[in-house]
Amino acid sequence: MTAQQSTEERREALKEVFLVARSCERCPQLAQTRTQVVFGAGNADAALMFVGEAPGRDEDEQGLPFVGRSGQLLNTLLGEIGLQRDDVFIANVLKCRPPQNRDPHPEEIERCSPYLWRQLELIQPTVVVTLGNFATKLLRGDPAGIRTIHGRAEERVLGTRRVRLFPVYHPAAALRSTVNLGELRADFARIPELIAQGAPEQPEPVDLAAEPSADDVAAARAEAAEVPPQPAAPADQPAPAESQLGLF
Ligand code: URA
């Protein structure tokens, strides 16, 4: 079980997921149009994790998340609260750039989200900041829009762990409007206090000795069906350099 894995084991497991993701072809169009998969980058043991929408052109070229204009703003906002990129982990809802930066399609989100759930499970952040509508709606499992709920921290169980979920505007929205920028900056200013609160009390661990209920079995089957196949990395793929994954 992930909860019992050491930091090193979780980090190694994250690299394995990256190896699977980087040759993913679950979305035929995106697999054709992307330059490369943008898995995510940062501190594999971060207390703070950001989830954006999808890579843009710069990210697709460089293979790293938030390296374009939105990323520069994100770096500035992080700096204003005393953090840097290697303190946090940054991922996206989609790991591939949608052509012409169109919105992610619902079926793409569904196919790609098991990677994000796995990242959350392995990194074990205590605070998850969702950047914009797509990440917020996915992780809250609710259609409430970012304009209504940005800046409202709440405890949520994501996968097996309870986290402090904090929706904020996407940096791209702040680049379009100084009002949005002011609100994003104000929301960012609250992040250190959320980190300082530490991890919320965790749900009861599953008793592995207990007889599973019919509901548990059905849920496990549904979950297994969602997780992308995890073949061993093809032998001709070299082990990823840590810098390629952007791990700190
Ligand atoms: N916008 C996103 O949502 N993610 C990125 O990685 C870059 C821009």
Side-chain angles (χ1 to χ4, degrees):
M1 284 252 100
T2 301
Q4 290 150 4
Q5 286 180 306
S6 68
T7 309
E8 195 47 42
E9 284 168 337
R10 289 188 287 113
R11 184 188 178 89
E12 289 306 311
L14 192 65
K15 288 195 226 168
E16 291 296 321
V17 181
F18 167 60
L19 278 184
V20 173
R22 76 174 178 177
S23 50
C24 182
E25 300 200 336
R26 298 187 114 212
C27 302
Q29 186 192 25
L30 302 189
Q32 280 233 317
T33 55
R34 74 180 179 222
T35 305
Q36 57 194 316
V37 167
V38 180
F39 180 69
N43 183 332
D45 194 33
L48 173 60
M49 179 162 161
F50 289 90
V51 182
E53 180 178 317
R57 192 180 49 198
D58 296 310
E59 291 77 20
D60 177 68
E61 274 171 21
Q62 295 184 40
L64 292 169
F66 282 96
V67 289
R69 284 185 69 225
S70 290
Q72 283 162 20
L73 176 57
L74 183 59
N75 293 349
T76 302
L77 293 168
L78 279 174
E80 287 175 4
I81 57 170
L83 295 174
Q84 346 184 58
R85 293 283 286 239
D86 56 7
D87 295 317
V88 306
F89 194 91
I90 304 178
N92 280 306
V93 169
L94 290 194
K95 310 302 189 215
C96 297
R97 180 192 184 203
Q100 277 80 50
N101 296 347
R102 65 157 168 75
D103 283 351
H105 291 164
E107 67 274 13
E108 292 167 347
I109 296 174
E110 196 180 324
R111 291 183 196 125
C112 201
S113 58
Y115 293 120
L116 179 61
W117 291 114
R118 193 79 181 114
Q119 287 175 313
L120 287 160
E121 197 178 328
L122 290 170
I123 295 163
Q124 300 189 354
T126 56
V127 179
V128 176
V129 176
T130 51
L131 301 167
N133 265 320
F134 283 93
T136 302
K137 290 179 182 180
L138 175 66
L139 294 190
R140 292 186 77 247
D142 182 294
I146 195 70
R147 282 202 179 275
T148 320
I149 56 160
H150 76 89
R152 284 193 212 160
E154 58 187 336
E155 289 186 17
R156 286 264 168 168
V157 176
L158 299 183
T160 53
R161 301 187 64 259
R162 193 182 297 274
V163 304
R164 302 188 192 283
L165 189 72
F166 191 53
V168 303
Y169 284 135
H170 193 286
L175 287 171
R176 289 194 293 267
S177 144
T178 50
V179 175
N180 291 347
L181 176 58
E183 297 192 31
L184 180 58
R185 192 165 254 141
D187 289 344
F188 256 70
R190 296 195 33 225
I191 293 176
E193 148 207 330
L194 292 174
I195 298 172
Q197 285 171 10
E201 197 170 318
Q202 293 303 310
E204 284 294 306
V206 178
D207 180 358
L208 293 175
E211 196 66 25
S213 70
D215 282 353
D216 289 340
V217 172
R221 285 209 179 107
E223 195 178 311
E226 274 176 26
V227 174
Q230 305 257 325
D236 59 353
Q237 280 189 12
E242 300 231 333
S243 59
Q244 193 184 347
L245 177 48
L247 278 188
F248 295 100

